[in-house]
Amino acid sequence: MYTTKYHKASDAANAASLLGASPEAKILAGGQTLIPTMKQRLAAPTDLIDISGIAELRGVTIEARKKLGVLKAKGGETITIGAATTHYEVANNADLAAACPAITGLAANIGDPAVRHRGTIGGSIANNDPAADYPAALLALGATIHTTSRDISADDFFTGMFSTALNDGEVIKSVSFQAPAAAGYGKFPVPASRYAMVGVFVAKSIDGDVRVSVTGAGDDGVFRHAGLESALTSDWSPASAAGVNVGAEGLLSDIHGNAAYRANLIGVMAKRAVESA
Amino acid sequence: MSEGIGARVLRKEDKRFITGKGRYTDDIIEPNQAYAAFVRSPHAHAKVNGIDASAALAMDGVVDVLNGHQLTGDGIGNIICGWGVTSKDGTPMNMGAWSALATDTVRYVGDAVAVVIADSKEIAKLAAESVVVDYETLPVVVGSVEALADGAPQIHENAPGNLIFDWEIGNKEPTDAALASAEHIVEMDIVNNRLAPNPMEPRSAIATFNESEDHYTLYTTSQNPHVARLVLSAFYNVAPEHKLRVIAPDVGGGFGSKIYIYPEEITCLWASMKTNRSVKWTSDRTEAFLTDAHGRDHVTHATMGLDKNHKIVGLKVNTKANLGAYMSLFSSATPTYLYATLLSGQYNIENVYADVQGVYTNTVPVDAYRGAGRPEASFVMERMMETAARQLGVDPAELRLKNFVKEFPHQTPVIMAYDSGDFAANQKQAMDAADYKGFEKRRAEAAKRGKLRGIGFSNYIEACGIAPSAAVGSLGAGVGLWESAEVRVNPVGTIEILTGSHSHGQGHETTFTQIVAERFGLPTENISIVHGDTDKVQFGMGTYGSRSGAVGMSAIVKAMDKVEAKVKKIGAHVLEASEDDIIIEDGAVKVKGTDKQMLWHEVGLAAYTAHNIPEGMEPGLKESAFYDPSNFTFPAGCYICEVEVDPETGVTKIIQFTASDDFGTIINPMIVEGQVHGGLAQGIGQAMFEGVVYDPDGQQLSASYMDYCMPRADDVPMYQVMHQSTECPGNPLGMKGCGEAGAIGSPPAVINAITDAIGNNNLNMPATPSAVWAALQEASKQAAE
Ligand SMILES: Cc1cc2nc3c(=O)[nH]c(=O)nc-3n(C[C@H](O)[C@H](O)[C@H](O)COP(=O)(O)OP(=O)(O)OC[C@H]3O[C@@H](n4cnc5c(N)ncnc54)[C@H](O)[C@@H]3O)c2cc1C
């Protein structure tokens, strides 16, 4: 690891100003991506700004749904997750599990216990690894990413493999979304890394809007799948998902699986995601 | 409870291992030690036109930057191959030069061209990055078949066409004739995938040159410290043997990869002399992928002939073995004498012929890895047997039963003479335990759930305790393959066993004490094992090829024979009895049929006080022995694997794995089971998860655990491990060896099971979900056509 300077930020604003102060500074959240990258000498930030202890960036809040015209059986609460909330905290939040079990289940299957106890949702989406799980969830849930300077919709936030709409000096504070009426996540892990070879997140909002996103498979990161969305909009069922002919264009081929295999997995994982929803 | 032969004595070494108190090479800290960081080639093949280390040398804390020209200029010898293989035409192998630091050409990614010695690891790494090497890239070839093709890049001048040797074994004409007149022919292309060894502890070395005594000490991660000292001294000219002490402290796994003497150890020793500092190097995981000798990598074509009664009449095998960019220590023996000599399998086959081409490529050197040649042989044989059964439409178990060797000794056409075994008994034990009869019912039940069930056999045989020395010498080995032992009985009766074997996870500190406890009736806590230090143990050949039991323990037995003889003389003298009436039991020397006895410690005291020992007898109680076996030993067994495949994803789950092994005498069943469990996990790893992948430019695409898949606990089933043993007639304890069998026997069982499930025999290792899914697609396409 190259030499670096460690700072402990007192709050989000302090983190943003420390970050803005040096062009080669980086936020350190759980360190589960950044530290290994530094150990491999692939990253050499001059300054590390640790946000892991900042209270305002941690925790899950669930705001009851406002009374709407039609009373739906489930969903509609506003869920906010602090950027520095660990995967473990998300996975084990009982209220969140009741409101949106798809996201607690997703968090429970990220990495291993050590990773889950350190890694954070903010770090995961800021990094936007093309095989990470959270980007699929936030995109399908139509989430909003709240930063130290603005709110960004998930559709605008994820701009391609390892890239996001974040500007220099901008720190993610939290993410929020409306609890879906139904949602599910189907993940097929890469045997070696156990990141997603293909992960499909399906979500149906309380208004009946269906969004389907795919991680792991795209050659430019997480994306929404129009074919699956329209099939599930007209018929929300495993069979309907399985019936979609998923093409291999634009999909990733690597030593773990080619585009045709990933295309097959998208169909299978979509079906299983709906089954679990 | 007895702690002798057959007892499940808990491992003595585990107290320090599981409390984090093991002492490994990287734990050794010398005063004023410096650190080495290697400057490694990012190219798989290139000319080195120059090295500019000026920036590095200018950095604070950098002691020196050394290169290959300086190394060879100081007379450090090229790295040797310890086994000369002769080609069909009688010519010796074409071996290219391998310098510990490359001089003019680099031949694989990771090949070291220079080393930085600095005050800290960080400075050394930073300085190494600042060394500018002027490379002129050359064309690259990574596969053995491609390397043999016309026009392939030439890797070593003196190996035209990249061919190191073209070797053969067996009876060619009779085999051809037998195949020509065979009723049935089975023919297959078989690939044995390339593996990275991945011991948990990475390689490490710390070398200290003591100028005032003109003496060197090397701590290193070695499976065979004495061989390391011999080679470092005799061939690399580091120092004469009496001026070089090699210590291998606790070693955290090796699987073969720590047999060899690598460039880094040589360089640390030399650099210690150059800089007058202790020089330490510890590999990181990436360096391990880039530089630890890989295993396997065979491309094979095999043809088997059977008569109308389904008796095998002949087997012909051609193998192209990828040996990487340089010849590692046993790289020539592994795909020849350790491989093709096992191609008769458990079967009585009159005609076997094999030829093997050893090939240079721009990849990491390939050498022995757990099983070393025998996994490759059993994979060929057992894939062929299963395929033959499918082609003939007969039960694979019955086809094997029909062809088993049933009488011993049995001379195969490929050198090996099997001394013992009962292959049918192992097969029956495994079939009963696996409920083979009930399989079709289970298959039908799985089908109802949309899953594909399959079952596969592997009836492996292997050869351990490579020997005898004269025979291996005549086949090209540069060393003898005996083992030494010394039994030291202290004046208080406690015992130290010095052995030339060296444990790197096998539990020698436990099992070796058990045979002493058995012999003298002492508790194992009174016995300790000394190994891994050339200043303490006079000589030894180390631990590999499952030899420590059959060869290493046999040497201890021989030394104990001598101790026993002396003890009886002392006992007879002191107890005033005839030597013939003396017996040793329960920790005492007794006169048969009387109540006269001396306790064991009294004998020790008598020997060392020498107040009352037979006239003319030397005082003391310490004996040593060298043991040179008369033959290999032949562990064998039957493995049955049952799998279930999810046709939607290709995910394969091993439902049941049954192993019935014949290891001869078993000293500690718990340790033996552990060895089998580990071996099975490794074999399942090869079959379903592991594989080194190179791109055409010679870059490893699988050089981290993000991409190289090691089997994890949830990937492997609960094993059913059992034994059905015949005693080995070749050594005093009747032992055969158990360290590699699991890795040797399991891959074909897994692949036979998966191919049975999916109805497509065309499936390479590793059978990952994507590979299995692709094979399923191919099968359904073929069915549609
Ligand atoms: C063994 C292992 C297995 C894993 N498996 C999976 C898996 O299966 N699925 C999966 O999705 N992930 C997996 N991960 C990644 C894990 O989820 C990480 O926790 C996550 O990618 C990064 O989160 P972090 O909090 O550790 O971020 P860090 O490593 O601290 O930071 C990552 C990047 O995000 C930036 N950053 C962090 N927080 C903020 C913020 N609030 N605002 C702006 N920028 C920020 C950092 O500057 C850095 O560039 C795995 C990691 C490991 C080590």
Side-chain angles (χ1 to χ4, degrees):
Chain A
M1 200 188 284
Y2 298 98
T3 312
T4 187
K5 198 166 167 193
Y6 175 87
H7 308 261
K8 195 154 181 67
S10 52
D11 57 26
N14 176 234
S17 81
L18 285 166
L19 185 63
S22 158
E24 297 297 324
K26 267 199 177 298
I27 296 288
L28 176 70
Q32 295 305 294
T33 294
L34 188 51
I35 301 288
T37 317
M38 289 173 67
K39 279 185 173 171
Q40 286 172 23
R41 308 173 81 79
L42 297 171
T46 51
D47 298 77
L48 282 183
I49 297 137
D50 187 355
I51 59 163
S52 60
I54 298 176
E56 66 169 316
L57 298 183
R58 285 189 93 132
V60 177
T61 57
I62 302 174
E63 231 175 275
R65 129 166 75 117
K66 300 194 185 68
K67 285 267 183 301
L68 293 172
V70 200
L71 204 72
K72 293 265 168 41
K74 194 174 178 323
E77 303 90 334
T78 300
I79 296 171
T80 305
I81 304 176
T85 310
T86 64
H87 309 328
Y88 177 83
E89 288 163 343
V90 171
N92 291 282
N93 187 302
D95 297 336
L96 185 55
C100 185
I103 202 154
T104 52
L106 173 149
N109 281 306
I110 295 175
D112 50 45
V115 169
R116 292 194 287 275
H117 278 271
R118 298 280 330 159
T120 67
I121 187 168
S124 176
I125 62 170
N127 192 49
N128 195 16
D129 187 304
D133 298 304
Y134 271 129
L138 297 199
L139 192 57
L141 291 166
T144 303
I145 289 88
H146 309 278
T147 77
T148 40
S149 49
R150 58 193 166 134
D151 292 346
I152 312 171
S153 76
D155 286 300
D156 296 331
F157 183 84
F158 299 108
T159 56
M161 198 178 270
F162 293 111
S163 91
T164 67
L166 284 177
N167 292 324
D168 287 347
E170 194 169 6
V171 178
I172 303 169
K173 290 172 68 178
S174 64
V175 303
S176 67
F177 55 89
Q178 194 181 55
Y185 185 53
K187 174 177 179 176
F188 189 87
V190 174
S193 70
R194 298 195 177 174
Y195 272 80
M197 173 112 77
V198 165
V200 180
F201 202 103
V202 299
K204 184 158 82 170
S205 76
I206 52 171
D207 304 319
D209 292 339
V210 172
R211 288 166 66 107
V212 177
S213 62
V214 178
T215 189
D219 63 8
D220 195 25
V222 65
F223 65 94
R224 286 174 62 184
H225 199 284
L228 284 165
E229 287 186 355
S230 75
L232 289 174
T233 303
S234 50
D235 173 15
W236 178 266
S237 74
S240 160
V244 174
N245 187 11
V246 179
E249 322 77 60
L251 299 188
L252 202 64
S253 279
D254 60 20
I255 62 170
H256 305 295
N258 62 16
Y261 182 55
R262 281 187 162 85
N264 167 67
L265 287 179
I266 290 174
V268 177
M269 290 304 117
K271 179 181 89 171
R272 293 183 187 179
V274 177
E275 264 164 14
S276 75
Chain B
M1 195 193 80
S2 159
E3 296 183 306
I5 293 174
R8 293 177 170 268
V9 177
L10 294 182
R11 292 180 16 134
K12 290 163 172 275
E13 44 276 87
D14 281 350
K15 183 172 176 189
R16 68 177 190 278
F17 291 152
I18 65 182
T19 56
K21 298 280 164 52
R23 193 155 173 267
Y24 298 89
T25 299
D26 192 57
D27 295 325
I28 310 291
I29 293 165
E30 296 285 6
N32 198 28
Q33 71 184 22
Y35 297 82
F38 288 85
V39 179
R40 299 189 180 280
S41 170
H43 306 292
H45 199 190
K47 273 197 140 75
V48 179
N49 289 331
I51 299 173
D52 178 1
S54 51
L57 284 164
M59 286 172 66
D60 265 358
V62 170
V63 179
D64 207 348
V65 182
L66 302 167
N67 65 41
H69 290 289
Q70 291 168 284
L71 178 117
T72 51
D74 278 359
I76 300 297
N78 283 330
I79 295 172
I80 60 156
C81 178
W83 196 303
V85 162
T86 307
S87 284
K88 289 171 187 167
D89 63 5
T91 57
M93 60 191 188
N94 303 320
M95 184 175 161
W98 184 10
S99 169
L101 295 174
T103 50
D104 303 315
T105 309
V106 287
R107 297 184 174 84
Y108 70 98
V109 172
D111 210 350
V113 295
V115 64
V116 174
I117 313 298
D119 288 341
S120 77
K121 210 186 286 183
E122 278 317 303
I123 297 172
K125 282 194 174 176
L126 211 59
E129 286 169 3
S130 78
V131 173
V132 181
V133 184
D134 178 7
Y135 293 106
E136 180 184 329
T137 58
L138 296 168
V140 170
V141 64
V142 297
S144 58
V145 175
E146 295 76 9
L148 286 174
D150 285 344
Q154 179 72 35
I155 297 170
H156 288 276
E157 235 166 60
N158 53 341
N162 302 316
L163 183 66
I164 303 169
F165 55 77
D166 183 6
W167 171 91
E168 64 181 349
I169 191 172
N171 36 10
K172 183 159 195 276
E173 280 76 35
T175 303
D176 283 336
L179 292 175
S181 61
E183 183 82 15
H184 306 281
I185 290 287
V186 180
E187 213 169 340
M188 275 180 94
D189 289 309
I190 296 170
V191 176
N192 205 289
N193 47 326
R194 186 183 183 106
L195 304 174
N198 285 307
M200 201 177 286
E201 178 208 21
R203 287 193 293 119
S204 179
I206 174 160
T208 302
F209 174 60
N210 181 332
E211 197 183 11
S212 56
E213 293 179 3
D214 215 14
H215 182 276
Y216 290 82
T217 303
L218 174 70
Y219 284 88
T220 184
T221 45
S222 177
Q223 300 178 212
N224 41 331
H226 290 88
V227 176
R229 183 178 66 156
L230 168 66
V231 171
L232 285 162
S233 154
F235 297 96
Y236 307 152
N237 310 321
V238 171
E241 272 179 288
H242 68 298
K243 292 285 187 188
L244 173 59
R245 177 182 184 185
V246 178
I247 303 166
D250 283 332
V251 177
F255 311 117
S257 72
K258 290 173 181 168
I259 297 173
Y260 326 116
I261 298 94
Y262 289 86
E264 291 82 5
E265 290 106 273
I266 303 169
T267 304
C268 285
L269 278 165
W270 170 68
S272 170
M273 183 272 291
K274 294 295 267 190
T275 61
N276 223 340
R277 295 277 293 266
S278 289
V279 174
K280 184 179 212 167
W281 169 79
T282 299
S283 170
D284 60 29
R285 197 51 77 180
T286 309
E287 261 181 318
F289 276 105
L290 294 183
T291 64
D292 289 2
H294 287 171
R296 323 269 195 260
D297 204 344
H298 284 195
V299 177
T300 293
H301 185 79
T303 312
M304 182 190 274
L306 300 98
D307 69 14
K308 61 180 191 307
N309 299 320
H310 300 165
K311 296 276 278 185
I312 306 166
V313 295
L315 175 72
K316 191 173 178 179
V317 174
N318 170 263
T319 294
K320 294 177 176 57
N322 189 339
L323 301 192
Y326 301 101
M327 293 195 74
S328 175
L329 196 63
F330 289 118
S331 59
S332 51
T334 303
T336 53
Y337 292 105
L338 299 180
Y339 162 67
T341 53
L342 271 312
L343 281 172
S344 192
Q346 295 188 353
Y347 313 106
N348 189 352
I349 313 177
E350 205 163 307
N351 303 294
V352 178
Y353 173 79
D355 67 339
V356 179
Q357 287 81 46
V359 188
Y360 276 128
T361 62
N362 294 116
T363 61
V364 181
V366 178
D367 207 327
Y369 165 70
R370 200 172 192 171
R374 295 103 81 205
E376 296 89 318
S378 79
F379 193 69
V380 169
M381 195 64 210
E382 293 306 299
R383 287 288 288 133
M384 292 294 282
M385 287 306 280
E386 203 86 4
T387 304
R390 286 173 196 168
Q391 205 170 305
L392 298 170
V394 298
D395 185 295
E398 268 163 41
L399 180 66
R400 287 177 168 90
L401 194 55
K402 188 173 277 177
N403 283 283
F404 279 151
V405 169
K406 294 182 185 95
E407 280 165 28
F408 298 89
H410 172 83
Q411 178 62 54
T412 70
V414 280
I415 299 182
M416 293 301 180
Y418 302 157
D419 58 4
S420 60
D422 186 348
F423 306 143
N426 287 109
Q427 193 184 51
K428 182 171 187 318
Q429 188 184 40
M431 283 168 71
D432 289 347
D435 184 22
Y436 182 64
K437 281 205 196 90
F439 171 71
E440 286 307 330
K441 225 170 154 181
R442 298 195 292 279
R443 196 200 297 262
E445 182 278 330
K448 276 191 211 140
R449 290 181 284 112
K451 298 287 196 280
L452 308 169
R453 273 242 176 169
I455 198 162
F457 280 76
S458 167
N459 293 51
Y460 78 92
I461 184 164
E462 60 129 335
C464 293
I466 175 172
S469 297
V472 296
S474 75
L475 299 177
V479 287
L481 286 163
W482 42 263
E483 195 46 84
S484 80
E486 191 175 314
V487 175
R488 288 187 192 159
V489 182
N490 296 318
V492 292
T494 57
I495 297 180
E496 279 135 23
I497 303 291
L498 284 71
T499 170
S501 302
H502 186 36
S503 181
H504 45 287
Q506 292 85 348
H508 293 177
E509 289 167 53
T510 309
T511 46
F512 284 20
T513 59
Q514 287 183 250
I515 62 170
V516 183
E518 170 89 20
R519 173 71 78 97
F520 300 130
L522 300 170
T524 58
E525 65 174 13
N526 287 10
I527 306 154
S528 62
I529 302 297
V530 177
H531 59 184
D533 184 340
T534 60
D535 265 12
K536 291 182 180 163
V537 178
Q538 188 239 332
F539 210 97
M541 297 310 297
T543 290
Y544 41 84
S546 305
R547 66 191 301 280
S548 300
V551 189
M553 285 202 210
S554 295
I556 297 173
V557 169
K558 271 191 76 177
M560 287 197 296
D561 290 344
K562 296 183 191 175
V563 168
E564 181 174 320
K566 189 164 181 179
V567 164
K568 282 188 169 171
K569 281 199 172 68
I570 295 171
H573 177 78
V574 173
L575 299 171
E576 296 171 342
S578 153
E579 221 181 295
D580 295 339
D581 292 333
I582 299 289
I583 52 168
I584 303 175
E585 63 180 21
D586 301 330
V589 176
K590 301 176 179 171
V591 182
K592 217 177 347 186
T594 74
D595 58 1
K596 290 211 280 185
Q597 66 169 35
M598 281 174 92
L599 295 176
W600 182 258
H601 70 267
E602 293 169 340
V603 182
L605 205 61
Y608 284 91
T609 56
H611 297 162
N612 185 19
I613 57 175
E615 210 181 310
M617 177 183 269
E618 289 178 15
L621 196 49
K622 181 195 86 167
E623 299 289 347
S624 65
F626 284 72
Y627 173 76
D628 195 353
S630 56
N631 191 2
F632 286 81
T633 64
F634 298 96
C638 176
Y639 291 175
I640 301 176
C641 177
E642 188 167 331
V643 300
E644 198 166 286
V645 175
D646 171 8
E648 287 186 341
T649 58
V651 167
T652 301
K653 206 170 146 42
I654 298 180
I655 304 294
Q656 177 175 267
F657 199 106
T658 309
S660 164
D661 292 294
D662 178 352
F663 293 143
T665 303
I666 288 171
I667 309 294
N668 183 326
M670 180 199 73
I671 286 183
V672 169
E673 284 158 16
Q675 289 288 310
V676 175
H677 286 193
L680 293 177
Q682 229 157 346
I684 289 169
Q686 162 157 35
M688 294 174 59
F689 304 100
E690 298 182 48
V692 172
V693 184
Y694 278 96
D695 76 4
D697 294 328
Q699 301 290 339
Q700 267 185 59
L701 299 178
S702 52
S704 86
Y705 289 139
M706 296 301 278
D707 292 304
Y708 189 94
C709 188
M710 297 293 285
R712 278 169 264 200
D714 61 349
D715 290 322
V716 295
M718 293 297 287
Y719 307 112
Q720 291 199 76
V721 172
M722 59 209 72
H723 303 111
Q724 172 71 51
S725 295
T726 58
E727 202 166 287
C728 174
N731 59 59
L733 292 168
M735 297 176 70
K736 298 190 178 183
C738 67
E740 295 159 292
I744 291 168
S746 52
V750 174
I751 299 298
N752 286 337
I754 300 176
T755 52
D756 178 49
I758 65 178
N760 182 354
N761 204 31
N762 180 23
L763 181 69
N764 279 337
M765 300 190 286
T768 60
S770 79
V772 171
W773 181 79
L776 273 164
Q777 303 311 299
E778 189 183 77
S780 61
K781 217 162 116 193
Q782 277 162 0
E785 275 164 11

mmCIF file of all heavy atoms in Angstrom, chain B residues 294-310:
data_model
loop_
_atom_site.group_PDB
_atom_site.id
_atom_site.type_symbol
_atom_site.label_atom_id
_atom_site.label_comp_id
_atom_site.label_asym_id
_atom_site.label_seq_id
_atom_site.Cartn_x
_atom_site.Cartn_y
_atom_site.Cartn_z
ATOM 1 N N HIS B 294 2.908 -24.251 -11.330
ATOM 2 C CA HIS B 294 1.549 -24.753 -11.536
ATOM 3 C C HIS B 294 1.556 -26.273 -11.683
ATOM 4 O O HIS B 294 2.625 -26.886 -11.745
ATOM 5 C CB HIS B 294 0.959 -24.117 -12.800
ATOM 6 C CG HIS B 294 0.592 -22.663 -12.622
ATOM 7 N ND1 HIS B 294 0.219 -21.857 -13.664
ATOM 8 C CD2 HIS B 294 0.541 -21.886 -11.512
ATOM 9 C CE1 HIS B 294 -0.053 -20.641 -13.216
ATOM 10 N NE2 HIS B 294 0.149 -20.633 -11.911
ATOM 11 N N GLY B 295 0.346 -26.831 -11.747
ATOM 12 C CA GLY B 295 0.235 -28.284 -11.890
ATOM 13 C C GLY B 295 -0.591 -28.684 -13.096
ATOM 14 O O GLY B 295 -1.363 -27.879 -13.634
ATOM 15 N N ARG B 296 -0.397 -29.979 -13.508
ATOM 16 C CA ARG B 296 -1.190 -30.611 -14.584
ATOM 17 C C ARG B 296 -0.945 -29.958 -15.964
ATOM 18 O O ARG B 296 0.162 -29.805 -16.363
ATOM 19 C CB ARG B 296 -2.686 -30.612 -14.239
ATOM 20 C CG ARG B 296 -2.989 -30.854 -12.747
ATOM 21 C CD ARG B 296 -3.191 -32.294 -12.398
ATOM 22 N NE ARG B 296 -3.798 -32.447 -11.090
ATOM 23 C CZ ARG B 296 -3.127 -32.750 -9.957
ATOM 24 N NH1 ARG B 296 -1.832 -32.962 -9.979
ATOM 25 N NH2 ARG B 296 -3.759 -32.887 -8.809
ATOM 26 N N ASP B 297 -1.987 -29.566 -16.667
ATOM 27 C CA ASP B 297 -1.922 -29.003 -18.035
ATOM 28 C C ASP B 297 -1.486 -30.034 -19.078
ATOM 29 O O ASP B 297 -0.424 -29.908 -19.689
ATOM 30 C CB ASP B 297 -1.040 -27.746 -18.072
ATOM 31 C CG ASP B 297 -1.401 -26.839 -19.262
ATOM 32 O OD1 ASP B 297 -2.091 -27.312 -20.201
ATOM 33 O OD2 ASP B 297 -1.003 -25.659 -19.254
ATOM 34 N N HIS B 298 -2.310 -31.041 -19.262
ATOM 35 C CA HIS B 298 -2.077 -32.056 -20.281
ATOM 36 C C HIS B 298 -3.159 -31.988 -21.367
ATOM 37 O O HIS B 298 -4.328 -31.764 -21.059
ATOM 38 C CB HIS B 298 -2.184 -33.464 -19.684
ATOM 39 C CG HIS B 298 -1.003 -33.879 -18.882
ATOM 40 N ND1 HIS B 298 -0.792 -35.190 -18.532
ATOM 41 C CD2 HIS B 298 0.029 -33.172 -18.359
ATOM 42 C CE1 HIS B 298 0.329 -35.272 -17.816
ATOM 43 N NE2 HIS B 298 0.834 -34.061 -17.693
ATOM 44 N N VAL B 299 -2.746 -32.231 -22.596
ATOM 45 C CA VAL B 299 -3.704 -32.432 -23.685
ATOM 46 C C VAL B 299 -3.441 -33.834 -24.228
ATOM 47 O O VAL B 299 -2.333 -34.136 -24.656
ATOM 48 C CB VAL B 299 -3.527 -31.375 -24.791
ATOM 49 C CG1 VAL B 299 -4.475 -31.657 -25.941
ATOM 50 C CG2 VAL B 299 -3.761 -29.974 -24.230
ATOM 51 N N THR B 300 -4.453 -34.675 -24.151
ATOM 52 C CA THR B 300 -4.248 -36.100 -24.395
ATOM 53 C C THR B 300 -5.228 -36.637 -25.436
ATOM 54 O O THR B 300 -6.389 -36.217 -25.489
ATOM 55 C CB THR B 300 -4.431 -36.873 -23.061
ATOM 56 O OG1 THR B 300 -3.377 -36.502 -22.176
ATOM 57 C CG2 THR B 300 -4.420 -38.384 -23.258
ATOM 58 N N HIS B 301 -4.731 -37.559 -26.238
ATOM 59 C CA HIS B 301 -5.622 -38.351 -27.084
ATOM 60 C C HIS B 301 -5.413 -39.811 -26.705
ATOM 61 O O HIS B 301 -4.279 -40.285 -26.668
ATOM 62 C CB HIS B 301 -5.307 -38.122 -28.567
ATOM 63 C CG HIS B 301 -6.276 -38.831 -29.459
ATOM 64 N ND1 HIS B 301 -7.538 -38.320 -29.725
ATOM 65 C CD2 HIS B 301 -6.199 -40.016 -30.101
ATOM 66 C CE1 HIS B 301 -8.187 -39.172 -30.512
ATOM 67 N NE2 HIS B 301 -7.398 -40.202 -30.755
ATOM 68 N N ALA B 302 -6.488 -40.509 -26.419
ATOM 69 C CA ALA B 302 -6.371 -41.893 -25.954
ATOM 70 C C ALA B 302 -7.279 -42.817 -26.755
ATOM 71 O O ALA B 302 -8.386 -42.435 -27.136
ATOM 72 C CB ALA B 302 -6.730 -41.971 -24.467
ATOM 73 N N THR B 303 -6.769 -44.020 -27.010
ATOM 74 C CA THR B 303 -7.538 -45.029 -27.740
ATOM 75 C C THR B 303 -7.470 -46.338 -26.965
ATOM 76 O O THR B 303 -6.382 -46.780 -26.577
ATOM 77 C CB THR B 303 -6.939 -45.266 -29.147
ATOM 78 O OG1 THR B 303 -6.720 -44.001 -29.767
ATOM 79 C CG2 THR B 303 -7.872 -46.096 -30.003
ATOM 80 N N MET B 304 -8.633 -46.926 -26.740
ATOM 81 C CA MET B 304 -8.678 -48.190 -26.009
ATOM 82 C C MET B 304 -9.385 -49.225 -26.880
ATOM 83 O O MET B 304 -10.377 -48.917 -27.544
ATOM 84 C CB MET B 304 -9.452 -47.998 -24.701
ATOM 85 C CG MET B 304 -9.524 -49.242 -23.822
ATOM 86 S SD MET B 304 -10.699 -48.977 -22.463
ATOM 87 C CE MET B 304 -9.608 -48.202 -21.293
ATOM 88 N N GLY B 305 -8.867 -50.442 -26.889
ATOM 89 C CA GLY B 305 -9.518 -51.523 -27.630
ATOM 90 C C GLY B 305 -10.025 -52.580 -26.668
ATOM 91 O O GLY B 305 -9.373 -52.883 -25.657
ATOM 92 N N LEU B 306 -11.206 -53.127 -26.965
ATOM 93 C CA LEU B 306 -11.767 -54.204 -26.143
ATOM 94 C C LEU B 306 -12.179 -55.347 -27.056
ATOM 95 O O LEU B 306 -12.547 -55.130 -28.221
ATOM 96 C CB LEU B 306 -12.984 -53.716 -25.349
ATOM 97 C CG LEU B 306 -12.741 -52.566 -24.365
ATOM 98 C CD1 LEU B 306 -13.145 -51.240 -24.989
ATOM 99 C CD2 LEU B 306 -13.516 -52.793 -23.072
ATOM 100 N N ASP B 307 -12.123 -56.562 -26.526
ATOM 101 C CA ASP B 307 -12.547 -57.697 -27.343
ATOM 102 C C ASP B 307 -14.053 -57.923 -27.187
ATOM 103 O O ASP B 307 -14.739 -57.162 -26.497
ATOM 104 C CB ASP B 307 -11.715 -58.950 -27.019
ATOM 105 C CG ASP B 307 -12.009 -59.505 -25.624
ATOM 106 O OD1 ASP B 307 -13.032 -59.093 -25.005
ATOM 107 O OD2 ASP B 307 -11.224 -60.350 -25.150
ATOM 108 N N LYS B 308 -14.548 -58.991 -27.799
ATOM 109 C CA LYS B 308 -16.009 -59.172 -27.791
ATOM 110 C C LYS B 308 -16.548 -59.488 -26.397
ATOM 111 O O LYS B 308 -17.722 -59.283 -26.122
ATOM 112 C CB LYS B 308 -16.431 -60.228 -28.824
ATOM 113 C CG LYS B 308 -15.858 -61.612 -28.602
ATOM 114 C CD LYS B 308 -16.369 -62.536 -29.701
ATOM 115 C CE LYS B 308 -16.089 -64.008 -29.447
ATOM 116 N NZ LYS B 308 -14.675 -64.336 -29.160
ATOM 117 N N ASN B 309 -15.650 -59.939 -25.492
ATOM 118 C CA ASN B 309 -16.075 -60.172 -24.106
ATOM 119 C C ASN B 309 -15.856 -58.962 -23.207
ATOM 120 O O ASN B 309 -15.926 -59.060 -21.988
ATOM 121 C CB ASN B 309 -15.303 -61.357 -23.528
ATOM 122 C CG ASN B 309 -15.582 -62.628 -24.319
ATOM 123 O OD1 ASN B 309 -16.717 -62.878 -24.716
ATOM 124 N ND2 ASN B 309 -14.528 -63.395 -24.587
ATOM 125 N N HIS B 310 -15.520 -57.846 -23.849
ATOM 126 C CA HIS B 310 -15.300 -56.600 -23.118
ATOM 127 C C HIS B 310 -14.047 -56.613 -22.250
ATOM 128 O O HIS B 310 -13.965 -55.905 -21.253
ATOM 129 C CB HIS B 310 -16.525 -56.217 -22.281
ATOM 130 C CG HIS B 310 -17.750 -56.018 -23.105
ATOM 131 N ND1 HIS B 310 -19.012 -55.963 -22.581
ATOM 132 C CD2 HIS B 310 -17.915 -55.881 -24.449
ATOM 133 C CE1 HIS B 310 -19.895 -55.791 -23.546
ATOM 134 N NE2 HIS B 310 -19.251 -55.745 -24.695
#
